[in-house]
mmCIF file of all heavy atoms in Angstrom:
data_model
loop_
_atom_site.group_PDB
_atom_site.id
_atom_site.type_symbol
_atom_site.label_atom_id
_atom_site.label_comp_id
_atom_site.label_asym_id
_atom_site.label_seq_id
_atom_site.Cartn_x
_atom_site.Cartn_y
_atom_site.Cartn_z
ATOM 1 N N LYS G 1 0.814 -1.225 0.001
ATOM 2 C CA LYS G 1 0.005 0.001 -0.003
ATOM 3 C C LYS G 1 0.840 1.266 -0.006
ATOM 4 O O LYS G 1 0.543 2.220 -0.724
ATOM 5 C CB LYS G 1 -0.926 0.009 1.223
ATOM 6 C CG LYS G 1 -1.915 -1.164 1.281
ATOM 7 C CD LYS G 1 -2.885 -1.145 0.122
ATOM 8 C CE LYS G 1 -3.915 -2.267 0.275
ATOM 9 N NZ LYS G 1 -4.845 -2.339 -0.852
ATOM 10 N N ALA G 2 1.890 1.285 0.810
ATOM 11 C CA ALA G 2 2.716 2.505 0.895
ATOM 12 C C ALA G 2 3.399 2.759 -0.440
ATOM 13 O O ALA G 2 3.463 3.904 -0.907
ATOM 14 C CB ALA G 2 3.771 2.336 1.999
ATOM 15 N N GLN G 3 3.925 1.695 -1.069
ATOM 16 C CA GLN G 3 4.559 1.886 -2.360
ATOM 17 C C GLN G 3 3.557 2.343 -3.398
ATOM 18 O O GLN G 3 3.857 3.194 -4.242
ATOM 19 C CB GLN G 3 5.225 0.581 -2.807
ATOM 20 C CG GLN G 3 6.045 0.730 -4.072
ATOM 21 C CD GLN G 3 6.890 -0.464 -4.353
ATOM 22 O OE1 GLN G 3 6.910 -1.439 -3.619
ATOM 23 N NE2 GLN G 3 7.641 -0.429 -5.430
ATOM 24 N N ALA G 4 2.347 1.795 -3.335
ATOM 25 C CA ALA G 4 1.314 2.202 -4.288
ATOM 26 C C ALA G 4 0.979 3.673 -4.117
ATOM 27 O O ALA G 4 0.756 4.396 -5.084
ATOM 28 C CB ALA G 4 0.081 1.338 -4.118
ATOM 29 N N ALA G 5 0.936 4.126 -2.854
ATOM 30 C CA ALA G 5 0.621 5.531 -2.580
ATOM 31 C C ALA G 5 1.658 6.461 -3.182
ATOM 32 O O ALA G 5 1.357 7.503 -3.770
ATOM 33 C CB ALA G 5 0.499 5.750 -1.078
ATOM 34 N N SER G 6 2.961 6.077 -3.059
ATOM 35 C CA SER G 6 4.010 6.906 -3.610
ATOM 36 C C SER G 6 3.955 6.908 -5.144
ATOM 37 O O SER G 6 4.262 7.904 -5.795
ATOM 38 C CB SER G 6 5.378 6.418 -3.131
ATOM 39 O OG SER G 6 5.641 5.114 -3.600
ATOM 40 N N LEU G 7 3.589 5.773 -5.719
ATOM 41 C CA LEU G 7 3.491 5.693 -7.177
ATOM 42 C C LEU G 7 2.319 6.535 -7.688
ATOM 43 O O LEU G 7 2.406 7.139 -8.762
ATOM 44 C CB LEU G 7 3.311 4.239 -7.615
ATOM 45 C CG LEU G 7 4.541 3.331 -7.442
ATOM 46 C CD1 LEU G 7 4.178 1.889 -7.736
ATOM 47 C CD2 LEU G 7 5.651 3.779 -8.352
ATOM 48 N N ARG G 8 1.231 6.560 -6.912
ATOM 49 C CA ARG G 8 0.072 7.348 -7.334
ATOM 50 C C ARG G 8 0.415 8.833 -7.402
ATOM 51 O O ARG G 8 -0.177 9.600 -8.163
ATOM 52 C CB ARG G 8 -1.087 7.125 -6.377
ATOM 53 C CG ARG G 8 -1.872 5.866 -6.678
ATOM 54 C CD ARG G 8 -3.290 5.928 -6.083
ATOM 55 N NE ARG G 8 -4.055 4.757 -6.492
ATOM 56 C CZ ARG G 8 -4.059 3.622 -5.839
ATOM 57 N NH1 ARG G 8 -3.358 3.496 -4.728
ATOM 58 N NH2 ARG G 8 -4.761 2.602 -6.272
ATOM 59 N N ALA G 9 1.390 9.235 -6.573
ATOM 60 C CA ALA G 9 1.801 10.639 -6.584
ATOM 61 C C ALA G 9 2.381 11.006 -7.934
ATOM 62 O O ALA G 9 2.365 12.193 -8.340
ATOM 63 C CB ALA G 9 2.823 10.905 -5.494
ATOM 64 N N LEU G 10 2.894 10.013 -8.680
ATOM 65 C CA LEU G 10 3.462 10.291 -10.004
ATOM 66 C C LEU G 10 2.364 10.583 -11.024
ATOM 67 O O LEU G 10 2.646 11.140 -12.092
ATOM 68 C CB LEU G 10 4.293 9.098 -10.486
ATOM 69 C CG LEU G 10 5.528 8.720 -9.654
ATOM 70 C CD1 LEU G 10 6.158 7.472 -10.239
ATOM 71 C CD2 LEU G 10 6.532 9.857 -9.656
ATOM 72 N N GLN G 11 1.131 10.180 -10.703
ATOM 73 C CA GLN G 11 0.055 10.286 -11.685
ATOM 74 C C GLN G 11 -0.702 11.616 -11.587
ATOM 75 O O GLN G 11 -1.775 11.745 -12.163
ATOM 76 C CB GLN G 11 -0.910 9.111 -11.502
ATOM 77 C CG GLN G 11 -0.258 7.757 -11.803
ATOM 78 C CD GLN G 11 -1.250 6.633 -11.682
ATOM 79 O OE1 GLN G 11 -1.931 6.494 -10.666
ATOM 80 N NE2 GLN G 11 -1.361 5.831 -12.697
ATOM 81 N N THR G 12 -0.165 12.552 -10.831
ATOM 82 C CA THR G 12 -0.802 13.855 -10.744
ATOM 83 C C THR G 12 -0.930 14.472 -12.121
ATOM 84 O O THR G 12 0.028 14.468 -12.905
ATOM 85 C CB THR G 12 0.055 14.799 -9.845
ATOM 86 O OG1 THR G 12 0.242 14.190 -8.573
ATOM 87 C CG2 THR G 12 -0.649 16.133 -9.672
ATOM 88 N N GLU G 13 -2.096 14.954 -12.430
ATOM 89 C CA GLU G 13 -2.313 15.536 -13.762
ATOM 90 C C GLU G 13 -1.443 16.748 -13.967
ATOM 91 O O GLU G 13 -1.353 17.643 -13.129
ATOM 92 C CB GLU G 13 -3.799 15.903 -13.925
ATOM 93 C CG GLU G 13 -4.100 16.448 -15.319
ATOM 94 C CD GLU G 13 -5.595 16.682 -15.506
ATOM 95 O OE1 GLU G 13 -6.381 15.794 -15.135
ATOM 96 O OE2 GLU G 13 -5.951 17.763 -16.016
ATOM 97 N N THR G 14 -0.738 16.762 -15.089
ATOM 98 C CA THR G 14 0.139 17.877 -15.427
ATOM 99 C C THR G 14 -0.244 18.391 -16.814
ATOM 100 O O THR G 14 -1.043 17.792 -17.532
ATOM 101 C CB THR G 14 1.611 17.430 -15.456
ATOM 102 O OG1 THR G 14 1.758 16.365 -16.392
ATOM 103 C CG2 THR G 14 2.035 16.966 -14.082
ATOM 104 N N THR G 15 0.381 19.495 -17.188
ATOM 105 C CA THR G 15 0.142 20.046 -18.525
ATOM 106 C C THR G 15 1.221 19.513 -19.459
ATOM 107 O O THR G 15 2.391 19.525 -19.130
ATOM 108 C CB THR G 15 0.189 21.577 -18.486
ATOM 109 O OG1 THR G 15 -0.831 22.059 -17.604
ATOM 110 C CG2 THR G 15 -0.016 22.143 -19.882
ATOM 111 N N ALA G 16 0.793 19.050 -20.604
ATOM 112 C CA ALA G 16 1.725 18.500 -21.588
ATOM 113 C C ALA G 16 1.758 19.394 -22.829
ATOM 114 O O ALA G 16 0.721 19.924 -23.246
ATOM 115 C CB ALA G 16 1.320 17.081 -21.979
ATOM 116 N N ASN G 17 2.954 19.557 -23.377
ATOM 117 C CA ASN G 17 3.106 20.349 -24.594
ATOM 118 C C ASN G 17 3.073 19.384 -25.804
ATOM 119 O O ASN G 17 4.069 18.815 -26.190
ATOM 120 C CB ASN G 17 4.440 21.114 -24.584
ATOM 121 C CG ASN G 17 4.481 22.122 -23.474
ATOM 122 O OD1 ASN G 17 3.511 22.858 -23.243
ATOM 123 N ND2 ASN G 17 5.586 22.180 -22.742
ATOM 124 N N ARG G 18 1.864 19.235 -26.383
ATOM 125 C CA ARG G 18 1.668 18.291 -27.464
ATOM 126 C C ARG G 18 1.850 18.967 -28.805
ATOM 127 O O ARG G 18 1.375 20.081 -29.038
ATOM 128 C CB ARG G 18 0.274 17.660 -27.369
ATOM 129 C CG ARG G 18 0.000 16.612 -28.428
ATOM 130 C CD ARG G 18 -1.314 15.897 -28.175
ATOM 131 N NE ARG G 18 -2.452 16.817 -28.233
ATOM 132 C CZ ARG G 18 -3.697 16.458 -27.929
ATOM 133 N NH1 ARG G 18 -3.944 15.204 -27.526
ATOM 134 N NH2 ARG G 18 -4.683 17.334 -28.014
ATOM 135 N N ARG G 19 2.523 18.252 -29.713
ATOM 136 C CA ARG G 19 2.700 18.790 -31.060
ATOM 137 C C ARG G 19 1.413 18.598 -31.871
ATOM 138 O O ARG G 19 0.762 17.579 -31.791
ATOM 139 C CB ARG G 19 3.834 18.052 -31.768
ATOM 140 C CG ARG G 19 5.214 18.561 -31.411
ATOM 141 C CD ARG G 19 6.271 17.873 -32.253
ATOM 142 N NE ARG G 19 7.604 18.336 -31.879
ATOM 143 C CZ ARG G 19 8.715 17.786 -32.319
ATOM 144 N NH1 ARG G 19 8.644 16.743 -33.154
ATOM 145 N NH2 ARG G 19 9.893 18.249 -31.961
ATOM 146 N N THR G 20 1.107 19.619 -32.601
ATOM 147 C CA THR G 20 -0.068 19.554 -33.481
ATOM 148 C C THR G 20 0.361 19.025 -34.852
ATOM 149 O O THR G 20 1.548 19.065 -35.182
ATOM 150 C CB THR G 20 -0.703 20.934 -33.622
ATOM 151 O OG1 THR G 20 0.256 21.816 -34.249
ATOM 152 C CG2 THR G 20 -1.096 21.510 -32.271
ATOM 153 N N PRO G 21 -0.575 18.559 -35.662
ATOM 154 C CA PRO G 21 -0.218 18.068 -37.010
ATOM 155 C C PRO G 21 0.505 19.132 -37.827
ATOM 156 O O PRO G 21 1.314 18.788 -38.694
ATOM 157 C CB PRO G 21 -1.580 17.730 -37.610
ATOM 158 C CG PRO G 21 -2.447 17.394 -36.427
ATOM 159 C CD PRO G 21 -1.994 18.324 -35.338
ATOM 160 N N GLY G 22 0.234 20.370 -37.557
ATOM 161 C CA GLY G 22 0.886 21.438 -38.322
ATOM 162 C C GLY G 22 2.263 21.800 -37.818
ATOM 163 O O GLY G 22 2.917 22.689 -38.365
ATOM 164 N N GLY G 23 2.722 21.145 -36.763
ATOM 165 C CA GLY G 23 4.063 21.415 -36.235
ATOM 166 C C GLY G 23 4.090 22.388 -35.074
ATOM 167 O O GLY G 23 5.155 22.687 -34.530
ATOM 168 N N GLY G 24 2.943 22.882 -34.666
ATOM 169 C CA GLY G 24 2.883 23.800 -33.534
ATOM 170 C C GLY G 24 2.818 23.042 -32.202
ATOM 171 O O GLY G 24 2.914 21.822 -32.154
ATOM 172 N N ILE G 25 2.676 23.815 -31.144
ATOM 173 C CA ILE G 25 2.598 23.233 -29.775
ATOM 174 C C ILE G 25 1.324 23.695 -29.119
ATOM 175 O O ILE G 25 0.949 24.878 -29.170
ATOM 176 C CB ILE G 25 3.805 23.682 -28.907
ATOM 177 C CG1 ILE G 25 5.102 23.174 -29.509
ATOM 178 C CG2 ILE G 25 3.626 23.177 -27.479
ATOM 179 C CD1 ILE G 25 5.279 21.668 -29.452
ATOM 180 N N GLU G 26 0.597 22.736 -28.504
ATOM 181 C CA GLU G 26 -0.614 23.091 -27.762
ATOM 182 C C GLU G 26 -0.506 22.495 -26.356
ATOM 183 O O GLU G 26 0.003 21.385 -26.163
ATOM 184 C CB GLU G 26 -1.858 22.568 -28.460
ATOM 185 C CG GLU G 26 -1.899 21.069 -28.617
ATOM 186 C CD GLU G 26 -3.197 20.576 -29.260
ATOM 187 O OE1 GLU G 26 -4.116 21.396 -29.398
ATOM 188 O OE2 GLU G 26 -3.278 19.374 -29.603
ATOM 189 N N GLU G 27 -1.016 23.231 -25.352
ATOM 190 C CA GLU G 27 -0.997 22.732 -23.978
ATOM 191 C C GLU G 27 -2.286 21.939 -23.737
ATOM 192 O O GLU G 27 -3.394 22.450 -23.950
ATOM 193 C CB GLU G 27 -0.910 23.897 -22.993
ATOM 194 C CG GLU G 27 0.444 24.599 -23.003
ATOM 195 C CD GLU G 27 0.581 25.600 -21.870
ATOM 196 O OE1 GLU G 27 -0.397 25.765 -21.097
ATOM 197 O OE2 GLU G 27 1.650 26.188 -21.730
ATOM 198 N N VAL G 28 -2.120 20.682 -23.273
ATOM 199 C CA VAL G 28 -3.259 19.824 -23.007
ATOM 200 C C VAL G 28 -3.016 19.104 -21.671
ATOM 201 O O VAL G 28 -1.863 18.941 -21.250
ATOM 202 C CB VAL G 28 -3.458 18.762 -24.126
ATOM 203 C CG1 VAL G 28 -3.766 19.432 -25.446
ATOM 204 C CG2 VAL G 28 -2.248 17.870 -24.251
ATOM 205 N N PRO G 29 -4.085 18.665 -20.992
ATOM 206 C CA PRO G 29 -3.897 17.886 -19.754
ATOM 207 C C PRO G 29 -3.228 16.547 -20.117
ATOM 208 O O PRO G 29 -3.503 15.950 -21.157
ATOM 209 C CB PRO G 29 -5.318 17.684 -19.241
ATOM 210 C CG PRO G 29 -6.155 18.689 -19.950
ATOM 211 C CD PRO G 29 -5.486 18.928 -21.263
ATOM 212 N N SER G 30 -2.382 16.061 -19.238
ATOM 213 C CA SER G 30 -1.677 14.794 -19.497
ATOM 214 C C SER G 30 -2.660 13.642 -19.628
ATOM 215 O O SER G 30 -2.363 12.665 -20.338
ATOM 216 C CB SER G 30 -0.674 14.530 -18.372
ATOM 217 O OG SER G 30 -1.344 14.473 -17.101
ATOM 218 N N THR G 31 -3.820 13.745 -18.981
ATOM 219 C CA THR G 31 -4.794 12.649 -19.034
ATOM 220 C C THR G 31 -5.463 12.528 -20.404
ATOM 221 O O THR G 31 -6.130 11.530 -20.684
ATOM 222 C CB THR G 31 -5.902 12.863 -17.971
ATOM 223 O OG1 THR G 31 -6.420 14.199 -18.121
ATOM 224 C CG2 THR G 31 -5.331 12.683 -16.566
ATOM 225 N N SER G 32 -5.295 13.534 -21.268
ATOM 226 C CA SER G 32 -5.929 13.501 -22.582
ATOM 227 C C SER G 32 -5.002 12.913 -23.650
ATOM 228 O O SER G 32 -5.419 12.749 -24.795
ATOM 229 C CB SER G 32 -6.345 14.912 -22.999
ATOM 230 O OG SER G 32 -5.220 15.719 -23.247
ATOM 231 N N LEU G 33 -3.766 12.592 -23.259
ATOM 232 C CA LEU G 33 -2.810 12.044 -24.232
ATOM 233 C C LEU G 33 -3.189 10.634 -24.622
ATOM 234 O O LEU G 33 -3.652 9.834 -23.787
ATOM 235 C CB LEU G 33 -1.391 12.079 -23.637
ATOM 236 C CG LEU G 33 -0.798 13.457 -23.347
ATOM 237 C CD1 LEU G 33 0.529 13.315 -22.640
ATOM 238 C CD2 LEU G 33 -0.652 14.254 -24.648
ATOM 239 N N ARG G 34 -2.946 10.310 -25.878
ATOM 240 C CA ARG G 34 -3.228 8.972 -26.424
ATOM 241 C C ARG G 34 -1.949 8.421 -27.057
ATOM 242 O O ARG G 34 -1.047 9.182 -27.389
ATOM 243 C CB ARG G 34 -4.358 9.008 -27.455
ATOM 244 C CG ARG G 34 -5.693 9.427 -26.889
ATOM 245 C CD ARG G 34 -6.252 8.389 -25.938
ATOM 246 N NE ARG G 34 -7.577 8.712 -25.432
ATOM 247 C CZ ARG G 34 -7.801 9.400 -24.339
ATOM 248 N NH1 ARG G 34 -6.772 9.858 -23.631
ATOM 249 N NH2 ARG G 34 -9.043 9.648 -23.922
ATOM 250 N N SER G 35 -1.917 7.118 -27.208
ATOM 251 C CA SER G 35 -0.770 6.466 -27.846
ATOM 252 C C SER G 35 -0.554 7.047 -29.230
ATOM 253 O O SER G 35 -1.493 7.180 -30.013
ATOM 254 C CB SER G 35 -1.008 4.960 -27.939
ATOM 255 O OG SER G 35 0.080 4.334 -28.565
ATOM 256 N N GLY G 36 0.704 7.432 -29.522
ATOM 257 C CA GLY G 36 1.021 8.027 -30.799
ATOM 258 C C GLY G 36 1.220 9.535 -30.724
ATOM 259 O O GLY G 36 1.862 10.107 -31.619
ATOM 260 N N ASP G 37 0.690 10.195 -29.680
ATOM 261 C CA ASP G 37 0.893 11.645 -29.534
ATOM 262 C C ASP G 37 2.381 11.927 -29.280
ATOM 263 O O ASP G 37 3.085 11.128 -28.649
ATOM 264 C CB ASP G 37 0.065 12.163 -28.357
ATOM 265 C CG ASP G 37 -1.408 12.228 -28.682
ATOM 266 O OD1 ASP G 37 -1.755 12.113 -29.853
ATOM 267 O OD2 ASP G 37 -2.219 12.363 -27.741
#
C-alpha cells in the first residue's frame, strides 16, 4: 500500500506540450494524451 501511494503521486495531472499536425505546440492535460501523440 505504501509503495502504491508513492506511485500514485506520480500520476498527478500535469500540462503537456503536445505537437499539433501542423508542427505547432498546444497545452493539453496529461490525461488527454493517447498512444502516438
